[in-house]
Amino acid sequence: MSEGRNRIGRRGFLGASAVLAASLPGIPATASAATPRPKADTTLRWWGNNSWEIRLPGGKVVLIDPWLTRFKTGTYSKEGADPDTRIEVDRRLIDGLVDSGELRADHILVTHGHYDHITDVPYLAEKTGATVIGTETHLSLLLALGAPEDQLAIATGGEFHTFDGYAIRVLRSLHSASGDRAKVAFAGTRPLSRRDRPRVISDLLEGGTLAYQVRSPSGFSVLNFGGSNYVESELAGLRPDVLLLPAGGDRVAEYVPRLLRTLGFPPYVVPTHWDDFDFPLDEPARDWGGLARLRDAVTAASPGSAFRVVDHREMFEP
Ligand SMILES: [Zn+2]
């Protein structure tokens, strides 16, 4: 229990200070043109925070960290999130989206257990029948919140699953660290056997963090991080076409330039986790303060990458 039950601010989740943006001498800061890129056959839609809908050819849909309910927590206010904020799920909103066919899912990928990532997953899994991937802690939380047990698939990072022409690679990753002691907010784990129901947001433990790469039949790939940190060695050799990159990362040495270099300077970088989720999804996204710094860092480190900002519920077609 690192941060106890103190209120945590936005620094607790993403951090806020400047990102180092220097390129290394002798390394070209441009998108790699050495190998031809696969056909862009994937469409993305942003549902705010780190909620992404990835539509693959053939009609398969992958959701990452879908959180549509967006109850008020004060995360990005001066006081920070109230750890005793009760967890809520807006079933009417989810029913409307799923029953109308606007939102479907074959897979739901969970990056970590925090409230702004996991809260809606049990009900969305029940409604859509999707397979859910997460760590033991994430699955423990999901089960305790009523997710259908037979739909849950445990992962530790390193898995590379192939489905009907497309593939999902699970990567060991890291949550953002914050403050002078570089701590993770609501840190901790719980075993699968534990079934007490989470009631407030501090019950939703981080539980390890995963990243995901989704690869379409053409080889076109989208890489997502749900927290502003990563394990560099896990990413060796990956060449995503689209990088979904969270704002923040102030405690991570060379957060943006080291990542873009490791990934071979992806053609598209799309910011994620940059909106203040105290405000509704049907309004334009409001920057909590990290977007401009992220853009500057990406432009400096990889001028050949297109930095594409999408708004709530907007499609991105590479
Ligand atoms: Zn988090």
Side-chain angles (χ1 to χ4, degrees):
M1 295 301 290
S2 53
E3 303 208 355
R5 297 180 69 79
N6 297 329
R7 293 172 79 88
I8 46 165
R10 72 172 176 216
R11 302 182 67 89
F13 281 82
L14 288 158
S17 72
V19 182
L20 295 172
S23 298
L24 287 190
I27 296 176
T30 54
S32 168
T35 44
R37 287 280 173 179
K39 181 171 171 277
D41 57 359
T42 301
T43 303
L44 292 99
R45 180 156 61 156
W46 187 46
W47 291 88
N49 202 46
N50 189 49
S51 305
W52 288 94
E53 175 187 347
I54 302 174
R55 295 185 187 177
L56 294 160
K60 294 292 182 182
V61 178
V62 177
L63 300 182
I64 302 176
D65 289 349
W67 188 46
L68 311 168
T69 298
R70 290 166 80 94
F71 50 81
K72 254 190 165 54
T73 60
T75 299
Y76 299 109
S77 69
K78 224 175 111 215
E79 296 76 31
D82 178 353
D84 293 322
T85 306
R86 291 188 72 82
I87 298 163
E88 290 167 34
V89 175
D90 188 341
R91 289 180 172 233
R92 271 183 60 182
L93 172 73
I94 292 171
D95 287 347
L97 289 167
V98 176
D99 295 345
S100 68
E102 189 177 351
L103 191 61
R104 296 188 298 105
D106 296 286
H107 305 268
I108 299 176
L109 313 179
V110 174
T111 66
H112 63 285
H114 284 157
Y115 56 92
D116 52 324
H117 299 256
I118 211 170
T119 309
D120 284 351
V121 172
Y123 190 56
L124 272 165
E126 186 188 320
K127 286 287 292 183
T128 61
T131 300
V132 182
I133 298 179
T135 67
E136 178 173 2
T137 298
H138 309 159
L139 301 197
S140 169
L141 293 167
L142 293 168
L143 280 169
L145 289 166
E149 188 161 5
D150 66 339
Q151 289 171 228
L152 307 183
I154 200 163
T156 59
E159 296 84 357
F160 193 6
H161 301 305
T162 182
F163 297 99
D164 191 15
Y166 61 99
I168 296 172
R169 191 190 278 270
V170 190
L171 300 153
R172 266 189 323 121
S173 196
L174 295 170
H175 194 269
S176 51
S178 55
D180 292 342
R181 297 188 192 274
K183 289 187 173 190
V184 172
F186 303 143
T189 58
R190 50 183 266 171
L192 207 48
S193 54
R194 191 176 147 188
R195 297 291 166 90
D196 56 297
R197 191 178 177 93
R199 299 280 172 199
V200 296
I201 61 170
S202 56
D203 294 333
L204 295 175
L205 305 172
E206 180 254 351
T209 292
L210 300 170
Y212 295 94
Q213 181 164 271
V214 178
R215 194 185 69 187
S216 79
S218 77
F220 192 85
S221 66
V222 177
L223 175 61
N224 172 266
F225 296 94
S228 44
N229 202 350
Y230 49 86
V231 179
E232 185 177 339
S233 59
E234 277 286 288
L235 309 174
L238 294 189
R239 292 292 178 267
D241 300 288
V242 178
L243 169 63
L244 303 175
L245 178 63
D250 62 318
R251 283 283 161 214
V252 181
E254 284 193 275
Y255 172 57
V256 169
R258 184 163 57 91
L259 179 62
L260 297 184
R261 205 163 58 233
T262 303
L263 297 174
F265 307 105
Y268 296 101
V269 179
V270 180
T272 184
H273 217 324
W274 61 269
D275 60 322
D276 185 339
F277 44 71
D278 269 358
F279 297 96
L281 198 55
D282 54 13
E283 289 178 12
R286 300 194 202 194
D287 175 14
W288 56 250
L291 186 59
R293 284 198 312 282
L294 192 71
R295 181 197 300 270
D296 291 349
V298 169
T299 306
S302 181
S305 298
F307 188 83
R308 294 285 167 81
V309 180
V310 296
D311 209 335
H312 287 162
R313 302 176 74 147
E314 197 183 324
M315 300 279 188
F316 171 60
E317 295 185 52

